[in-house]
Amino acid sequence: VSFVTQAFFLFLPIVLLGYHALPTRWARYRFLLVASWVFYMWWQPWLITVILFTTLVDYTVALRIERAATQPARRAWLWLSIATNLGFLGFFKYSDALLQGGLWVARAGGWSAPDWTLHILLPLGISFHTFQGMGYTIDVYRGRIAAVRSLPDFALFIAFFPQLVAGPIVRAGEFLPQMVVPPTVTVRQIEEGLHFLILGFFKKAFLADGLAPFVDTVFAHPELYDGATHRWAVIAYMAQVYCDFAGYSDIAVGCAKWLGFELPLNFRFPFAALSPADFWRRWHITLSMWLRDYVYLPLGGNRGGMARTSLNLLVTMTLCGIWHGPSWNYVLWGFYNGMLLVAHRIYDRVLRRVAWGDRLRGSAVYAPVALAATFALVALGFAIVRSHTWAGWLLVEQSLLGGAGAVGAQRWIPASIPILLSLVAAGHAFGELGVRRVRMLELAPPLRAGIYATALVVLVLYGTWSQPTFIYFQF
Amino acid sequence: MRGVWRRYRLVGLVLIGLAAVDLVVVASRDLWRRYHPSDYVERVDACRRHGCELAVIGGSVAEEGIDPSALVGLHWRGAPVRSAYNLGLEGATSAEVWHAVRHGLDAHPPAVLVYGISASDLNDSRREPKGPRVLMDLRDVVEWMRARPSSAEWVVRHFLEGRMSTVWQLYRHREGIRLWSAVQLDRLWPGLFPEAVRDAQVNLAVASALIDRPDGFTSRPWFRNGRLDHRKTAGGVDPRFPFLEHYRLGENLAYLGRLLDWAHQRDISVLLVDMPVSADLERNYGDAFARYRQALRAFAGERRVPLLDAHRLRLELSDADFGDLVHLNAQGSARMSEWLRGQLDGGPAAVRAQHVPRTAARREGDA
């Protein structure tokens, strides 16, 4: 079930009523587990077997790691979990691309390779729940958490429906302790849940889906449009992806709150970042943190000098790109972001020891310039991901660097695009000025209620509701 | 109570805010309806309000193709027809036509029902959600579920959606408010939302016509002013016509039977008019049209209802008379209406003499 379908608006009230009507912790969590599996099976029933199998493996492996007498045995069990999770992820996500790559190499070598495709259906959320499962067994291996004794409790941690399909990627250490105490929902959670649900639907159905037709049209044939249109389209695409994914995450957080759970926030006004490193601390935060803790730090992190640190950053970010999808766009995008992080790290180290550099960073103009520079650098990366062809990508990148576009190309910027983008910018400005992470929650209840009611009215009147899937479903 | 309010104040305030908005929406509902008339509801209401002696029914082919004013004055059962109304419904199948007739014409039944039918009306593979949403009552839904169990979930879902949308007025009138606001913004900043403003203008024209014209003939500019031959030359005609895909017959034919039963009980004359379609459509969906015509002829013969064949060759219609593949334009509908008047003038005996389908005629001859 997608969050923006009629089925979900029927599903959520039924789950909430059933969940809160049940008397015991045991009954509530079992009900929630079944509801989560139903939520998943709505789309492709048989693919639930993937979740069931990896759940069983990770649950068993964690217990075995705890009971193993020797370090090699513990390590062997851990590798079984990693191999299972990555094996499923690799098979479903990358095997077709690897086959195509092999066939391409064969053809390049002069062999007449057949035109094979595997037509493998990617299970929804596999990139998220495999990472969650692996994170759990690694944490047990590291001794950071104890293995869960109850299989249904562990299965609920993996399959919890609000975040099952597209995150946030929740750590076992964050989620499982919440299951120890009986689930109760506080008034604060009801209010915050309402906030995140309305905000999430607003971002998705009004902002992201409102921007989508313009982005799709321009990127489908970039050669027809001029440089200014390309620049607007790239900015619109950045805002679209942000609103689509942050919208999903907000809805997940809101649903979880109404069930008495707290999920981590996944975005924190990413386009207000002052450096590439700052951007990744604000964009898809749970993935960034996962990659930091389970890839970057095990590789050595920043402990081996500048060269080694740079290599670790490049490897981590390239893997981040590959995680997003089996295409060269994502590999290049990941590598590009790694390069940005390396370049920023070098620049930061160089200027930190220089007096005029420190003065520059302390001046009033630094923040706006850093913000604009970071935004422009991130935009260059987004254009890589969205382009269908290398020629189209080059054209758009030239426009981002000041080009005018193809000869005779037209300018087409619908009036709704600046309006929608200004709303995204206003949201960033408003949020960034606050002390708390969610500034709107500080406002007086009547004012908040007015904002929520207005947002709902705008959603009903102008929400698109035409794209039931979210962009991150494909990852 | 005060404690509960304090705890749930925010949620309560949001609900109060939405209720206040709904009150404002209700107060101006006529305005929103003009900007986005629910064509099914407005047409059935207007037909019920105006009443008529002759009703043209059917889908959009009848809605666009038969001008009821051309039929006023013809003689039926020895008396001139003083009023005619076009109750054609865009996208309707025979099921929606039956429900519209039942709810719109039951109070003041006409003397004659002219059903401008086309192959798409009888295609069971298509379903029109506006039917359960706005035309059907609970009894219709139960009947549907019995007759078409494979689409029981569909009909209940759309019926409930239709009923629930009447609870939340903001949701019910959202399209009208959206178009109204687009027009207001366009006055301030011209060219801001050109497509919405165009839609609003068309809707306002249709709504005005429904209110001003007592005969329900509200042809849309796209069809009225269009020409298939010009569109073909410009390359803007999609040869596919989804309404005829996966052609199946049976369930909608049963609804046509119900309509005839209803008319028979009220002594209403019914005439089936097989409406003209373009040569391209007939060629692209030859199998569907062959099956449709065979089934319709057999049905009309069995029920002994006159079937008028308004084939384009008989009426000498060309692509210049069609707005698109299936709908007549202004020129085409004028010729069609004139031809129909000629066929109907003289009453049931004259029509029956010319147009009782062959199967029935043969059976009568055998007897």
Side-chain angles (χ1 to χ4, degrees):
Chain A
V1 187
S2 169
F3 288 156
V4 281
T5 56
Q6 290 169 341
F8 182 73
F9 289 108
L10 198 64
F11 174 85
L12 183 62
I14 290 171
V15 170
L16 287 170
L17 282 173
Y19 178 75
H20 291 296
L22 289 169
T24 63
R25 171 195 180 280
W26 185 93
R28 284 185 176 189
Y29 287 157
R30 299 304 173 272
F31 174 78
L32 201 51
L33 176 61
V34 172
S36 296
W37 283 343
V38 169
F39 178 87
Y40 191 83
M41 289 165 70
W42 206 288
W43 175 67
Q44 251 316 331
W46 70 271
L47 287 175
I48 192 73
T49 51
V50 176
I51 290 188
L52 293 178
F53 186 76
T54 53
T55 299
L56 205 60
V57 168
D58 291 331
Y59 168 77
T60 311
V61 160
L63 290 173
R64 294 287 179 175
I65 287 173
E66 273 197 344
R67 288 175 199 159
T70 63
Q71 185 63 16
R74 285 162 53 80
R75 191 173 293 138
W77 282 113
L78 175 64
W79 277 111
L80 175 65
S81 164
I82 292 173
T84 305
N85 284 295
L86 290 183
F88 271 109
L89 189 60
F91 172 74
F92 283 107
K93 204 163 175 174
Y94 304 106
S95 51
D96 215 356
L98 287 173
L99 174 68
Q100 297 309 315
L103 293 174
W104 184 84
V105 170
R107 286 189 202 105
W111 298 342
S112 60
D115 201 9
W116 284 335
T117 47
L118 297 175
H119 298 295
I120 294 172
L121 197 61
L122 182 69
L124 276 178
I126 191 167
S127 306
F128 296 89
H129 70 74
T130 50
F131 269 37
Q132 222 164 272
M134 273 193 294
Y136 164 72
T137 50
I138 293 169
D139 282 350
V140 171
Y141 174 81
R142 288 173 175 173
R144 288 188 180 157
I145 56 167
V148 182
R149 272 19 188 193
S150 161
L151 177 61
D153 281 3
F154 179 70
L156 179 58
F157 159 63
I158 295 292
F160 186 52
F161 80 85
Q163 45 81 232
L164 172 62
V165 178
I169 301 169
V170 186
R171 305 288 181 89
E174 292 169 324
F175 192 86
L176 292 171
Q178 297 184 56
M179 295 182 70
V180 175
V181 290
T184 51
V185 179
T186 63
V187 173
R188 189 162 157 258
Q189 280 178 315
I190 292 173
E191 293 186 353
E192 291 187 357
L194 183 73
H195 167 89
F196 282 107
L197 279 165
I198 292 175
L199 203 68
F201 282 116
F202 188 81
K203 283 178 183 167
K204 164 65 181 166
F206 182 64
L207 296 173
D209 290 354
L211 292 164
F214 170 65
V215 174
D216 292 346
T217 308
V218 175
F219 276 98
H221 295 287
E223 68 280 5
L224 300 179
Y225 302 99
D226 72 354
T229 308
H230 291 156
R231 289 187 281 276
W232 278 98
V234 172
I235 295 170
Y237 176 58
M238 293 166 75
Q240 183 203 354
V241 177
Y242 163 68
C243 291
D244 191 279
F245 193 20
Y248 180 93
S249 299
D250 285 347
I251 296 167
V253 168
C255 289
K257 281 181 186 286
W258 279 1
L259 294 164
F261 287 90
E262 296 291 337
L263 297 182
L265 295 183
N266 228 0
F267 290 86
R268 192 166 58 82
F269 311 111
F271 302 128
L274 299 180
S275 70
D278 189 22
F279 176 80
W280 283 100
R281 284 192 289 270
R282 295 159 173 268
W283 179 274
H284 203 171
I285 298 168
T286 56
L287 177 67
S288 300
M289 295 297 111
W290 198 99
L291 290 170
R292 183 197 65 186
D293 292 345
Y294 301 111
V295 179
Y296 177 68
L297 292 179
L299 285 172
N302 56 4
R303 293 192 299 273
M306 183 57 82
R308 178 70 199 200
T309 303
S310 300
L311 181 66
N312 292 342
L313 281 171
L314 283 175
V315 169
T316 304
M317 292 313 293
T318 306
L319 285 174
C320 173
I322 294 171
W323 177 88
H324 278 82
S327 82
W328 286 108
N329 300 49
Y330 290 118
V331 177
L332 193 61
W333 174 71
F335 183 77
Y336 169 77
N337 275 285
M339 292 293 289
L340 285 186
L341 291 175
V342 169
H344 173 254
R345 194 172 182 83
I346 294 168
Y347 144 88
D348 196 47
R349 288 295 131 86
V350 169
L351 279 194
R352 195 171 288 278
R353 298 188 183 86
V354 182
W356 66 264
D358 288 340
R359 273 202 307 279
L360 179 69
R361 271 195 282 221
S363 70
V365 294
Y366 178 77
V369 172
L371 188 146
T374 305
F375 187 85
L377 290 169
V378 169
L380 289 168
F382 271 86
I384 302 171
V385 175
R386 190 60 181 81
S387 297
H388 296 298
T389 61
W390 295 113
W393 168 62
L394 275 174
L395 196 62
V396 172
E397 295 288 9
Q398 282 168 1
S399 297
L400 286 178
L401 297 170
V407 178
Q410 60 166 320
R411 178 165 299 183
W412 176 61
I413 303 156
S416 59
I417 299 304
I419 295 172
L420 293 174
L421 290 178
S422 64
L423 280 173
V424 179
H428 272 62
F430 178 76
E432 273 300 288
L433 293 172
V435 178
R436 284 176 56 172
R437 292 186 86 184
V438 185
R439 195 181 174 214
M440 205 184 288
L441 296 175
E442 298 167 352
L443 301 175
L447 185 55
R448 277 170 69 192
I451 293 170
Y452 296 153
T454 306
L456 282 171
V457 169
V458 171
L459 259 179
V460 170
L461 294 181
Y462 306 107
T464 308
W465 305 103
S466 61
Q467 304 206 15
T469 58
F470 289 77
I471 292 172
Y472 260 66
F473 280 10
Q474 64 188 292
F475 303 142
Chain B
M1 192 64 191
R2 190 172 292 174
V4 172
W5 170 250
R6 194 168 293 165
R7 283 169 67 84
Y8 298 107
R9 186 170 55 154
L10 184 73
V11 178
L13 286 170
V14 172
L15 292 175
I16 290 170
L18 291 175
V21 171
D22 243 31
L23 286 175
V24 175
V25 170
V26 170
S28 310
R29 61 180 176 274
D30 289 343
L31 178 65
W32 318 130
R33 282 173 67 171
R34 284 184 73 86
Y35 274 89
H36 190 257
S38 168
D39 49 354
Y40 280 29
V41 175
E42 307 290 347
R43 280 180 171 279
V44 172
D45 281 355
C47 179
R48 201 184 288 131
R49 216 169 36 244
H50 292 299
C52 61
E53 293 181 352
L54 184 152
V56 174
I57 56 175
S60 57
V61 177
E63 182 190 11
E64 299 291 336
I66 301 175
D67 181 352
S69 65
L71 306 178
V72 174
L74 69 83
H75 282 76
W76 190 262
R77 286 180 175 165
V81 170
R82 286 167 299 176
S83 61
Y85 193 89
N86 187 324
L87 187 56
L89 301 173
E90 187 186 15
T93 65
S94 291
E96 285 72 53
V97 173
W98 153 238
H99 292 127
V101 165
R102 197 180 133 193
H103 296 294
L105 299 174
D106 204 33
H108 305 289
V112 194
L113 272 180
V114 176
Y115 189 157
I117 196 165
S118 189
S120 54
D121 292 31
L122 298 182
N123 186 3
D124 291 342
S125 291
R126 46 179 300 248
R127 291 185 296 235
E128 174 50 57
K130 277 193 269 186
R133 281 185 185 169
V134 298
L135 279 183
M136 291 164 70
D137 60 17
L138 198 56
R139 190 179 128 196
D140 299 325
V141 173
V142 174
E143 279 176 1
W144 180 294
M145 290 168 70
R146 281 193 192 134
R148 309 173 82 170
S150 62
S151 54
E153 182 271 335
W154 176 87
V155 79
V156 169
R157 181 156 49 87
H158 285 286
F159 177 74
L160 289 176
E161 271 177 30
R163 291 302 166 280
M164 284 170 72
S165 74
T166 60
V167 175
W168 195 4
Q169 296 297 312
L170 178 74
Y171 182 77
R172 183 184 192 178
H173 295 292
R174 65 192 185 285
E175 282 298 325
I177 300 171
R178 194 177 66 81
L179 294 178
W180 171 83
S181 58
V183 170
Q184 304 313 308
L185 284 171
D186 191 71
R187 282 183 189 148
L188 292 171
W189 297 288
L192 202 58
F193 301 111
E195 288 170 12
V197 171
R198 259 198 309 276
D199 287 350
Q201 283 164 350
V202 170
N203 287 352
L204 282 170
V206 169
S208 298
L210 273 172
I211 292 165
D212 300 338
R213 287 192 66 142
D215 63 7
F217 189 56
T218 54
S219 181
R220 287 167 176 75
W222 167 260
F223 303 123
R224 189 176 58 230
N225 304 327
R227 277 182 55 160
L228 179 59
D229 52 347
H230 291 173
R231 286 188 174 137
K232 278 163 71 174
T233 310
V237 178
D238 185 352
R240 279 188 343 103
F241 188 64
F243 286 17
L244 289 176
E245 301 283 345
H246 312 293
Y247 201 74
R248 282 195 300 118
L249 286 163
E251 292 163 350
N252 278 304
L253 212 51
Y255 275 103
L256 185 56
R258 283 181 194 195
L259 192 150
L260 294 184
D261 292 340
W262 176 89
H264 181 69
Q265 285 162 11
R266 286 156 185 78
D267 195 26
I268 301 170
S269 305
V270 179
L271 301 153
L272 298 176
V273 182
D274 184 5
M275 295 292 286
V277 295
S278 68
D280 290 304
L281 190 73
E282 220 170 311
R283 191 169 46 246
N284 295 343
Y285 293 91
D287 178 54
F289 274 101
R291 288 165 58 203
Y292 153 73
R293 292 207 171 108
Q294 190 184 9
L296 188 65
R297 257 201 303 272
F299 176 85
E302 207 168 285
R303 300 297 302 257
R304 303 186 65 178
V305 57
L307 172 61
L308 279 64
D309 182 6
H311 195 273
R312 70 175 182 286
L313 297 175
R314 188 186 293 261
L315 274 71
E316 295 177 354
L317 298 170
S318 69
D319 284 351
D321 300 301
F322 286 89
D324 65 0
L325 286 172
V326 69
H327 300 100
L328 292 167
N329 58 22
Q331 181 180 300
S333 80
R335 291 177 72 174
M336 169 73 207
S337 306
E338 191 186 331
W339 175 86
L340 186 60
R341 184 190 172 106
Q343 301 295 309
L344 299 187
D345 212 1
V351 173
R352 194 169 286 277
Q354 292 177 62
H355 295 287
V356 173
R358 273 172 290 170
T359 48
R362 201 177 299 133
R363 202 171 296 159
E364 281 171 355
D366 294 345

